Amino acid sequence: MENLSQICTLVPSPYDARDWQYEARAVSATSNLDLPKSYLCKGLPPVKNQGSRGTCAAMTLSAMKEYQENVDNPLVQGYVLSPNSVYFYR
């Protein structure tokens, strides 16, 4: 079998100082983390159901854009962005 790099002509990514190196950190279940029992962020759109579409990135992006528009334009409350427009019409 051929080497994968020969088949796909893989090229390593160039160095970018903005890249973050992932470092796994274990957190013990018994550690003393002072986490709140609930968290409320006013102005976020309601939770939506993506069903079986597998469009979690589009759902997240549309929710964050709705939030941004509602914060930036307080006179135009209720801005709704369809995840379909993000996912299917890019």
Side-chain angles (χ1 to χ4, degrees):
M1 182 173 184
E2 294 182 62
N3 186 343
L4 183 61
S5 63
Q6 293 171 335
I7 297 170
C8 301
T9 59
L10 300 175
V11 177
S13 297
Y15 173 77
D16 188 341
R18 297 170 295 177
D19 289 344
W20 289 58
Q21 294 295 319
Y22 175 75
E23 181 180 323
R25 295 184 180 174
V27 177
S28 171
T30 59
S31 65
N32 292 332
L33 294 176
D34 189 21
L35 298 175
K37 295 206 184 286
S38 65
Y39 180 75
L40 177 64
C41 186
K42 294 180 181 178
L44 285 179
V47 175
K48 298 176 185 173
N49 184 357
Q50 72 179 9
S52 61
R53 286 183 283 179
T55 57
C56 54
M59 298 292 284
T60 303
L61 182 62
S62 64
M64 294 312 300
K65 183 62 178 168
E66 288 175 21
Y67 174 74
Q68 177 194 20
E69 290 296 325
N70 288 330
V71 168
D72 291 347
N73 303 307
L75 298 177
V76 185
Q77 290 298 311
Y79 178 86
V80 177
L81 176 65
S82 170
N84 290 336
S85 64
V86 175
Y87 191 73
F88 294 112
Y89 306 111
R90 28 183 175 158

